[in-house]
């Protein structure tokens, strides 16, 4: 027997956005609703370990436009840690809001929600202990 409770109807309009940060990737779906945020099938507060800084990063783009109570976020996130995933979700939400209306792009860009942060962990080089840490030098 197939349950139809999770199947979206044809009249439901949703907007997609993809965000990336370090090694984290987030696929964000923006659907009309009442402001509920679901990350990987769990409530955002539970998934982000009740960290208010991460939660505010996730909803920052919606708060910039004043739409935090008008849309639900359905997020599929993988890779990296919670901080990287939160920033990836922030970028994904901003990109989805740009698809919602092209007029949203200017305020989101001014707040820095659309820019990809290029910082990532530097690779370890041979002959060194870490990316830049060298073995202790001994003269004699």
């Amino acid at each position: 027997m197939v349950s139809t409770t999770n199947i979206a109807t044809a009249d439901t309009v949703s907007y997609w956005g993809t965000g990336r940060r370090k090694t984290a990737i987030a696929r964000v779906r923006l659907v009309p609703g009442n402001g509920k945020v679901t990350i990987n099938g769990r409530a955002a507060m539970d998934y982000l370990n009740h960290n208010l800084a991460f939660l505010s990063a996730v909803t920052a783009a919606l708060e910039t436009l004043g739409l935090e109570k008008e849309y639900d976020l359905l997020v599929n996130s993988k890779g990296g840690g919670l901080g990287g995933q939160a920033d990836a979700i922030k970028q994904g939400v901003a990109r989805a809001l740009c698809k919602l209306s092209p007029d949203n792009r200017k305020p989101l860009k001014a707040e820095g929600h659309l820019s990809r942060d290029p910082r990532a962990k530097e690779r370890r080089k041979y002959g060194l202990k870490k990316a830049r840490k060298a073995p202790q030098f001994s003269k004699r």
Side-chain angles (χ1 to χ4, degrees):
M1 186 166 176
V2 177
S3 173
T4 59
T5 56
N6 291 334
I7 298 174
T9 59
D11 59 341
T12 302
V13 178
S14 63
Y15 302 93
W16 289 87
T18 302
R20 294 179 184 86
R21 170 75 167 97
K22 293 186 175 180
T23 58
I25 300 172
R27 292 182 304 178
V28 178
R29 185 172 165 209
L30 193 70
V31 294
N34 55 7
K36 189 173 143 188
V37 181
T38 306
I39 304 172
N40 292 344
R42 294 167 52 189
M45 202 61 167
D46 292 337
Y47 187 83
L48 298 172
N49 290 336
H50 302 279
N51 189 325
L52 295 177
F54 293 160
L55 188 63
S56 66
V58 166
T59 59
L62 288 169
E63 291 170 2
T64 299
L65 300 174
L67 300 174
E68 59 268 10
K69 297 293 181 196
E70 296 180 29
Y71 289 96
D72 289 346
L73 295 176
L74 303 172
V75 180
N76 184 350
S77 182
K78 65 179 181 179
L82 290 181
Q85 286 185 5
D87 285 343
I89 294 168
K90 177 177 78 168
Q91 186 186 30
V93 171
R95 286 183 174 178
L97 287 169
C98 285
K99 289 183 183 176
L100 172 73
S101 170
D103 299 333
N104 293 339
R105 184 169 176 80
K106 192 169 184 177
L108 291 172
K109 192 166 176 73
E111 291 289 322
H113 298 309
L114 290 171
S115 60
R116 161 74 160 95
D117 191 346
R119 295 175 296 170
K121 188 174 175 79
E122 190 175 342
R123 65 171 284 264
R124 181 190 166 273
K125 284 83 172 181
Y126 56 87
L128 301 181
K129 294 188 177 294
K130 292 177 18 180
R132 298 188 182 198
K133 182 180 180 182
Q136 186 172 12
F137 176 73
S138 174
K139 195 173 231 179
R140 287 178 192 87

